[in-house]
PDB file of all heavy atoms in Angstrom:
ATOM      1  N   ARG A 746     106.792 102.342  86.171  1.00 98.00           N
ATOM      2  CA  ARG A 746     107.529 102.909  87.306  1.00 98.00           C
ATOM      3  C   ARG A 746     107.128 104.358  87.600  1.00 98.00           C
ATOM      4  O   ARG A 746     107.125 104.789  88.761  1.00 98.00           O
ATOM      5  CB  ARG A 746     109.040 102.823  87.064  1.00 98.00           C
ATOM      6  CG  ARG A 746     109.560 103.531  85.810  1.00 98.00           C
ATOM      7  CD  ARG A 746     111.037 103.211  85.636  1.00 98.00           C
ATOM      8  NE  ARG A 746     111.675 103.787  84.478  1.00 98.00           N
ATOM      9  CZ  ARG A 746     111.748 103.214  83.278  1.00 98.00           C
ATOM     10  NH1 ARG A 746     111.174 102.032  83.085  1.00 98.00           N
ATOM     11  NH2 ARG A 746     112.398 103.808  82.286  1.00 98.00           N
ATOM     12  N   THR A 747     106.778 105.107  86.555  1.00 98.00           N
ATOM     13  CA  THR A 747     106.365 106.487  86.770  1.00 98.00           C
ATOM     14  C   THR A 747     104.930 106.564  87.300  1.00 98.00           C
ATOM     15  O   THR A 747     104.617 107.395  88.159  1.00 98.00           O
ATOM     16  CB  THR A 747     106.501 107.298  85.475  1.00 98.00           C
ATOM     17  OG1 THR A 747     106.134 106.476  84.354  1.00 98.00           O
ATOM     18  CG2 THR A 747     107.926 107.769  85.273  1.00 98.00           C
ATOM     19  N   LEU A 748     104.075 105.701  86.792  1.00 98.00           N
ATOM     20  CA  LEU A 748     102.693 105.692  87.278  1.00 98.00           C
ATOM     21  C   LEU A 748     102.635 105.320  88.759  1.00 98.00           C
ATOM     22  O   LEU A 748     101.935 105.974  89.552  1.00 98.00           O
ATOM     23  CB  LEU A 748     101.855 104.711  86.456  1.00 98.00           C
ATOM     24  CG  LEU A 748     101.584 105.122  84.998  1.00 98.00           C
ATOM     25  CD1 LEU A 748     100.893 103.990  84.247  1.00 98.00           C
ATOM     26  CD2 LEU A 748     100.740 106.392  84.939  1.00 98.00           C
ATOM     27  N   TYR A 749     103.397 104.285  89.147  1.00 98.00           N
ATOM     28  CA  TYR A 749     103.402 103.895  90.561  1.00 98.00           C
ATOM     29  C   TYR A 749     104.076 104.955  91.429  1.00 98.00           C
ATOM     30  O   TYR A 749     103.645 105.191  92.572  1.00 98.00           O
ATOM     31  CB  TYR A 749     104.065 102.532  90.736  1.00 98.00           C
ATOM     32  CG  TYR A 749     103.155 101.386  90.359  1.00 98.00           C
ATOM     33  CD1 TYR A 749     103.461 100.542  89.295  1.00 98.00           C
ATOM     34  CD2 TYR A 749     101.972 101.150  91.058  1.00 98.00           C
ATOM     35  CE1 TYR A 749     102.616  99.488  88.938  1.00 98.00           C
ATOM     36  CE2 TYR A 749     101.125 100.104  90.711  1.00 98.00           C
ATOM     37  CZ  TYR A 749     101.453  99.282  89.649  1.00 98.00           C
ATOM     38  OH  TYR A 749     100.604  98.255  89.299  1.00 98.00           O
ATOM     39  N   THR A 750     105.117 105.592  90.917  1.00 98.00           N
ATOM     40  CA  THR A 750     105.745 106.668  91.687  1.00 98.00           C
ATOM     41  C   THR A 750     104.745 107.776  91.966  1.00 98.00           C
ATOM     42  O   THR A 750     104.664 108.302  93.082  1.00 98.00           O
ATOM     43  CB  THR A 750     106.958 107.243  90.931  1.00 98.00           C
ATOM     44  OG1 THR A 750     107.955 106.222  90.796  1.00 98.00           O
ATOM     45  CG2 THR A 750     107.565 108.424  91.681  1.00 98.00           C
ATOM     46  N   CYS A 751     103.952 108.125  90.967  1.00 98.00           N
ATOM     47  CA  CYS A 751     102.960 109.186  91.145  1.00 98.00           C
ATOM     48  C   CYS A 751     101.872 108.768  92.134  1.00 98.00           C
ATOM     49  O   CYS A 751     101.522 109.524  93.049  1.00 98.00           O
ATOM     50  CB  CYS A 751     102.339 109.535  89.788  1.00 98.00           C
ATOM     51  SG  CYS A 751     101.348 111.033  89.803  1.00 98.00           S
ATOM     52  N   LEU A 752     101.345 107.565  91.981  1.00 98.00           N
ATOM     53  CA  LEU A 752     100.269 107.103  92.856  1.00 98.00           C
ATOM     54  C   LEU A 752     100.713 107.001  94.317  1.00 98.00           C
ATOM     55  O   LEU A 752      99.956 107.354  95.232  1.00 98.00           O
ATOM     56  CB  LEU A 752      99.757 105.748  92.376  1.00 98.00           C
ATOM     57  CG  LEU A 752      98.977 105.744  91.059  1.00 98.00           C
ATOM     58  CD1 LEU A 752      98.767 104.315  90.567  1.00 98.00           C
ATOM     59  CD2 LEU A 752      97.630 106.448  91.222  1.00 98.00           C
ATOM     60  N   LEU A 753     101.930 106.520  94.538  1.00 98.00           N
ATOM     61  CA  LEU A 753     102.420 106.329  95.907  1.00 98.00           C
ATOM     62  C   LEU A 753     102.936 107.630  96.531  1.00 98.00           C
ATOM     63  O   LEU A 753     102.656 107.915  97.702  1.00 98.00           O
ATOM     64  CB  LEU A 753     103.535 105.276  95.918  1.00 98.00           C
ATOM     65  CG  LEU A 753     103.131 103.851  95.530  1.00 98.00           C
ATOM     66  CD1 LEU A 753     104.362 102.951  95.472  1.00 98.00           C
ATOM     67  CD2 LEU A 753     102.108 103.285  96.514  1.00 98.00           C
ATOM     68  N   SER A 754     103.673 108.407  95.777  1.00 98.00           N
ATOM     69  CA  SER A 754     104.306 109.612  96.320  1.00 98.00           C
ATOM     70  C   SER A 754     103.309 110.725  96.585  1.00 98.00           C
ATOM     71  O   SER A 754     103.491 111.530  97.503  1.00 98.00           O
ATOM     72  CB  SER A 754     105.384 110.119  95.367  1.00 98.00           C
ATOM     73  OG  SER A 754     106.367 109.148  95.119  1.00 98.00           O
ATOM     74  N   PHE A 755     102.263 110.787  95.774  1.00 98.00           N
ATOM     75  CA  PHE A 755     101.308 111.887  95.883  1.00 98.00           C
ATOM     76  C   PHE A 755      99.924 111.377  96.284  1.00 98.00           C
ATOM     77  O   PHE A 755      98.902 111.927  95.891  1.00 98.00           O
ATOM     78  CB  PHE A 755     101.283 112.665  94.555  1.00 98.00           C
ATOM     79  CG  PHE A 755     102.623 113.259  94.228  1.00 98.00           C
ATOM     80  CD1 PHE A 755     103.494 112.608  93.369  1.00 98.00           C
ATOM     81  CD2 PHE A 755     103.030 114.424  94.842  1.00 98.00           C
ATOM     82  CE1 PHE A 755     104.749 113.125  93.104  1.00 98.00           C
ATOM     83  CE2 PHE A 755     104.286 114.953  94.588  1.00 98.00           C
ATOM     84  CZ  PHE A 755     105.147 114.306  93.713  1.00 98.00           C
ATOM     85  N   GLN A 756      99.938 110.329  97.125  1.00 98.00           N
ATOM     86  CA  GLN A 756      98.701 109.709  97.583  1.00 98.00           C
ATOM     87  C   GLN A 756      97.731 110.700  98.225  1.00 98.00           C
ATOM     88  O   GLN A 756      96.512 110.622  97.969  1.00 98.00           O
ATOM     89  CB  GLN A 756      99.019 108.553  98.532  1.00 98.00           C
ATOM     90  CG  GLN A 756      97.823 107.741  98.970  1.00 98.00           C
ATOM     91  CD  GLN A 756      97.134 108.337 100.201  1.00 98.00           C
ATOM     92  OE1 GLN A 756      97.792 108.999 101.010  1.00 98.00           O
ATOM     93  NE2 GLN A 756      95.843 108.100 100.329  1.00 98.00           N
ATOM     94  N   PRO A 757      98.194 111.662  99.041  1.00 98.00           N
ATOM     95  CA  PRO A 757      97.229 112.624  99.600  1.00 98.00           C
ATOM     96  C   PRO A 757      96.489 113.414  98.528  1.00 98.00           C
ATOM     97  O   PRO A 757      95.279 113.630  98.628  1.00 98.00           O
ATOM     98  CB  PRO A 757      98.113 113.536 100.468  1.00 98.00           C
ATOM     99  CG  PRO A 757      99.282 112.678 100.836  1.00 98.00           C
ATOM    100  CD  PRO A 757      99.547 111.854  99.614  1.00 98.00           C
ATOM    101  N   ALA A 758      97.211 113.831  97.484  1.00 98.00           N
ATOM    102  CA  ALA A 758      96.568 114.574  96.392  1.00 98.00           C
ATOM    103  C   ALA A 758      95.697 113.652  95.547  1.00 98.00           C
ATOM    104  O   ALA A 758      94.621 114.055  95.084  1.00 98.00           O
ATOM    105  CB  ALA A 758      97.622 115.247  95.522  1.00 98.00           C
ATOM    106  N   VAL A 759      96.153 112.412  95.343  1.00 97.00           N
ATOM    107  CA  VAL A 759      95.353 111.439  94.593  1.00 97.00           C
ATOM    108  C   VAL A 759      93.992 111.268  95.253  1.00 97.00           C
ATOM    109  O   VAL A 759      92.944 111.316  94.589  1.00 97.00           O
ATOM    110  CB  VAL A 759      96.080 110.075  94.498  1.00 97.00           C
ATOM    111  CG1 VAL A 759      95.135 108.992  93.986  1.00 97.00           C
ATOM    112  CG2 VAL A 759      97.300 110.176  93.600  1.00 97.00           C
ATOM    113  N   GLU A 760      93.975 111.077  96.545  1.00 96.00           N
ATOM    114  CA  GLU A 760      92.728 110.851  97.266  1.00 96.00           C
ATOM    115  C   GLU A 760      91.853 112.103  97.244  1.00 96.00           C
ATOM    116  O   GLU A 760      90.630 112.022  97.030  1.00 96.00           O
ATOM    117  CB  GLU A 760      93.013 110.433  98.702  1.00 96.00           C
ATOM    118  CG  GLU A 760      91.780 110.169  99.549  1.00 96.00           C
ATOM    119  CD  GLU A 760      90.894 109.060  99.004  1.00 96.00           C
ATOM    120  OE1 GLU A 760      91.390 108.215  98.220  1.00 96.00           O
ATOM    121  OE2 GLU A 760      89.692 109.045  99.337  1.00 96.00           O
ATOM    122  N   ARG A 761      92.461 113.271  97.465  1.00 96.00           N
ATOM    123  CA  ARG A 761      91.689 114.525  97.468  1.00 96.00           C
ATOM    124  C   ARG A 761      91.055 114.779  96.101  1.00 96.00           C
ATOM    125  O   ARG A 761      89.872 115.144  96.010  1.00 96.00           O
ATOM    126  CB  ARG A 761      92.602 115.684  97.865  1.00 96.00           C
ATOM    127  CG  ARG A 761      91.923 117.061  97.791  1.00 96.00           C
ATOM    128  CD  ARG A 761      92.806 118.149  98.372  1.00 96.00           C
ATOM    129  NE  ARG A 761      94.119 118.172  97.755  1.00 96.00           N
ATOM    130  CZ  ARG A 761      94.383 118.727  96.561  1.00 96.00           C
ATOM    131  NH1 ARG A 761      93.395 119.271  95.859  1.00 96.00           N
ATOM    132  NH2 ARG A 761      95.608 118.750  96.087  1.00 96.00           N
ATOM    133  N   LEU A 762      91.819 114.588  95.032  1.00 95.00           N
ATOM    134  CA  LEU A 762      91.299 114.824  93.686  1.00 95.00           C
ATOM    135  C   LEU A 762      90.262 113.776  93.297  1.00 95.00           C
ATOM    136  O   LEU A 762      89.296 114.075  92.590  1.00 95.00           O
ATOM    137  CB  LEU A 762      92.445 114.849  92.683  1.00 95.00           C
ATOM    138  CG  LEU A 762      93.427 116.023  92.825  1.00 95.00           C
ATOM    139  CD1 LEU A 762      94.605 115.862  91.876  1.00 95.00           C
ATOM    140  CD2 LEU A 762      92.724 117.356  92.575  1.00 95.00           C
ATOM    141  N   ARG A 763      90.454 112.545  93.779  1.00 92.00           N
ATOM    142  CA  ARG A 763      89.476 111.496  93.496  1.00 92.00           C
ATOM    143  C   ARG A 763      88.116 111.877  94.077  1.00 92.00           C
ATOM    144  O   ARG A 763      87.088 111.759  93.405  1.00 92.00           O
ATOM    145  CB  ARG A 763      89.932 110.158  94.074  1.00 92.00           C
ATOM    146  CG  ARG A 763      89.005 108.990  93.757  1.00 92.00           C
ATOM    147  CD  ARG A 763      89.373 107.756  94.562  1.00 92.00           C
ATOM    148  NE  ARG A 763      89.144 107.942  95.992  1.00 92.00           N
ATOM    149  CZ  ARG A 763      87.943 107.860  96.576  1.00 92.00           C
ATOM    150  NH1 ARG A 763      86.859 107.599  95.842  1.00 92.00           N
ATOM    151  NH2 ARG A 763      87.826 108.030  97.872  1.00 92.00           N
ATOM    152  N   VAL A 764      88.126 112.342  95.305  1.00 91.00           N
ATOM    153  CA  VAL A 764      86.876 112.747  95.955  1.00 91.00           C
ATOM    154  C   VAL A 764      86.280 113.958  95.242  1.00 91.00           C
ATOM    155  O   VAL A 764      85.068 114.040  94.995  1.00 91.00           O
ATOM    156  CB  VAL A 764      87.127 113.054  97.445  1.00 91.00           C
ATOM    157  CG1 VAL A 764      85.885 113.668  98.078  1.00 91.00           C
ATOM    158  CG2 VAL A 764      87.540 111.794  98.186  1.00 91.00           C
ATOM    159  N   ALA A 765      87.135 114.923  94.869  1.00 87.00           N
ATOM    160  CA  ALA A 765      86.661 116.139  94.207  1.00 87.00           C
ATOM    161  C   ALA A 765      86.022 115.850  92.860  1.00 87.00           C
ATOM    162  O   ALA A 765      85.112 116.560  92.422  1.00 87.00           O
ATOM    163  CB  ALA A 765      87.819 117.118  94.037  1.00 87.00           C
ATOM    164  N   HIS A 766      86.489 114.781  92.189  1.00 81.00           N
ATOM    165  CA  HIS A 766      85.996 114.456  90.853  1.00 81.00           C
ATOM    166  C   HIS A 766      84.847 113.451  90.855  1.00 81.00           C
ATOM    167  O   HIS A 766      84.394 113.043  89.789  1.00 81.00           O
ATOM    168  CB  HIS A 766      87.146 113.912  89.997  1.00 81.00           C
ATOM    169  CG  HIS A 766      88.211 114.933  89.734  1.00 81.00           C
ATOM    170  ND1 HIS A 766      89.508 114.595  89.409  1.00 81.00           N
ATOM    171  CD2 HIS A 766      88.168 116.289  89.760  1.00 81.00           C
ATOM    172  CE1 HIS A 766      90.215 115.694  89.246  1.00 81.00           C
ATOM    173  NE2 HIS A 766      89.429 116.730  89.450  1.00 81.00           N
ATOM    174  N   GLN A 767      84.406 113.058  92.021  1.00 80.00           N
ATOM    175  CA  GLN A 767      83.305 112.100  92.078  1.00 80.00           C
ATOM    176  C   GLN A 767      82.071 112.687  91.400  1.00 80.00           C
ATOM    177  O   GLN A 767      81.725 113.842  91.585  1.00 80.00           O
ATOM    178  CB  GLN A 767      82.982 111.736  93.526  1.00 80.00           C
ATOM    179  CG  GLN A 767      83.952 110.730  94.126  1.00 80.00           C
ATOM    180  CD  GLN A 767      83.591 110.347  95.549  1.00 80.00           C
ATOM    181  OE1 GLN A 767      82.807 111.023  96.200  1.00 80.00           O
ATOM    182  NE2 GLN A 767      84.165 109.263  96.037  1.00 80.00           N
ATOM    183  N   GLY A 768      81.423 111.868  90.599  1.00 69.00           N
ATOM    184  CA  GLY A 768      80.240 112.335  89.898  1.00 69.00           C
ATOM    185  C   GLY A 768      80.529 112.985  88.566  1.00 69.00           C
ATOM    186  O   GLY A 768      79.603 113.324  87.823  1.00 69.00           O
ATOM    187  N   GLU A 769      81.823 113.196  88.241  1.00 70.00           N
ATOM    188  CA  GLU A 769      82.189 113.788  86.960  1.00 70.00           C
ATOM    189  C   GLU A 769      82.590 112.695  85.974  1.00 70.00           C
ATOM    190  O   GLU A 769      83.005 111.610  86.367  1.00 70.00           O
ATOM    191  CB  GLU A 769      83.363 114.760  87.147  1.00 70.00           C
ATOM    192  CG  GLU A 769      83.054 115.916  88.076  1.00 70.00           C
ATOM    193  CD  GLU A 769      84.273 116.783  88.329  1.00 70.00           C
ATOM    194  OE1 GLU A 769      85.348 116.473  87.767  1.00 70.00           O
ATOM    195  OE2 GLU A 769      84.156 117.758  89.078  1.00 70.00           O
ATOM    196  N   LYS A 770      82.462 112.997  84.699  1.00 65.00           N
ATOM    197  CA  LYS A 770      82.864 112.052  83.659  1.00 65.00           C
ATOM    198  C   LYS A 770      84.365 112.167  83.451  1.00 65.00           C
ATOM    199  O   LYS A 770      84.847 112.741  82.488  1.00 65.00           O
ATOM    200  CB  LYS A 770      82.105 112.336  82.364  1.00 65.00           C
ATOM    201  CG  LYS A 770      80.617 112.051  82.457  1.00 65.00           C
ATOM    202  CD  LYS A 770      79.929 112.290  81.124  1.00 65.00           C
ATOM    203  CE  LYS A 770      78.452 111.963  81.217  1.00 65.00           C
ATOM    204  NZ  LYS A 770      77.744 112.208  79.923  1.00 65.00           N
ATOM    205  N   LYS A 771      85.108 111.648  84.389  1.00 65.00           N
ATOM    206  CA  LYS A 771      86.565 111.722  84.347  1.00 65.00           C
ATOM    207  C   LYS A 771      87.131 110.320  84.516  1.00 65.00           C
ATOM    208  O   LYS A 771      86.672 109.550  85.354  1.00 65.00           O
ATOM    209  CB  LYS A 771      87.099 112.643  85.448  1.00 65.00           C
ATOM    210  CG  LYS A 771      88.586 112.923  85.359  1.00 65.00           C
ATOM    211  CD  LYS A 771      88.978 114.001  86.338  1.00 65.00           C
ATOM    212  CE  LYS A 771      90.491 114.217  86.334  1.00 65.00           C
ATOM    213  NZ  LYS A 771      90.981 114.723  85.054  1.00 65.00           N
ATOM    214  N   ARG A 772      88.155 109.990  83.714  1.00 73.00           N
ATOM    215  CA  ARG A 772      88.639 108.615  83.676  1.00 73.00           C
ATOM    216  C   ARG A 772      89.603 108.282  84.807  1.00 73.00           C
ATOM    217  O   ARG A 772      89.835 107.129  85.102  1.00 73.00           O
ATOM    218  CB  ARG A 772      89.327 108.364  82.330  1.00 73.00           C
ATOM    219  CG  ARG A 772      88.384 108.461  81.141  1.00 73.00           C
ATOM    220  CD  ARG A 772      89.141 108.387  79.834  1.00 73.00           C
ATOM    221  NE  ARG A 772      88.251 108.527  78.692  1.00 73.00           N
ATOM    222  CZ  ARG A 772      87.663 107.534  78.054  1.00 73.00           C
ATOM    223  NH1 ARG A 772      87.867 106.296  78.447  1.00 73.00           N
ATOM    224  NH2 ARG A 772      86.878 107.750  77.026  1.00 73.00           N
ATOM    225  N   GLY A 773      90.201 109.256  85.448  1.00 90.00           N
ATOM    226  CA  GLY A 773      91.168 108.995  86.503  1.00 90.00           C
ATOM    227  C   GLY A 773      91.840 110.287  86.907  1.00 90.00           C
ATOM    228  O   GLY A 773      91.767 111.290  86.199  1.00 90.00           O
ATOM    229  N   VAL A 774      92.517 110.277  88.039  1.00 95.00           N
ATOM    230  CA  VAL A 774      93.119 111.516  88.529  1.00 95.00           C
ATOM    231  C   VAL A 774      94.568 111.677  88.099  1.00 95.00           C
ATOM    232  O   VAL A 774      95.113 112.772  88.142  1.00 95.00           O
ATOM    233  CB  VAL A 774      93.013 111.615  90.064  1.00 95.00           C
ATOM    234  CG1 VAL A 774      91.564 111.666  90.500  1.00 95.00           C
ATOM    235  CG2 VAL A 774      93.734 110.469  90.747  1.00 95.00           C
ATOM    236  N   VAL A 775      95.235 110.595  87.666  1.00 98.00           N
ATOM    237  CA  VAL A 775      96.601 110.672  87.152  1.00 98.00           C
ATOM    238  C   VAL A 775      96.536 110.493  85.640  1.00 98.00           C
ATOM    239  O   VAL A 775      96.164 109.426  85.153  1.00 98.00           O
ATOM    240  CB  VAL A 775      97.515 109.589  87.765  1.00 98.00           C
ATOM    241  CG1 VAL A 775      98.907 109.647  87.131  1.00 98.00           C
ATOM    242  CG2 VAL A 775      97.603 109.767  89.277  1.00 98.00           C
ATOM    243  N   VAL A 776      96.877 111.545  84.900  1.00 98.00           N
ATOM    244  CA  VAL A 776      96.823 111.481  83.442  1.00 98.00           C
ATOM    245  C   VAL A 776      98.138 110.910  82.921  1.00 98.00           C
ATOM    246  O   VAL A 776      99.216 111.455  83.195  1.00 98.00           O
ATOM    247  CB  VAL A 776      96.591 112.869  82.831  1.00 98.00           C
ATOM    248  CG1 VAL A 776      96.580 112.783  81.295  1.00 98.00           C
ATOM    249  CG2 VAL A 776      95.280 113.461  83.340  1.00 98.00           C
TER     250      VAL A 776
END
């Protein structure tokens, strides 16, 4: 419930950080 709340509520930041981290060795944008 917390993971989905974060993904849905902060979708603009999720998408921005996903793009910013492209090409990096990072497992995901929500820790």
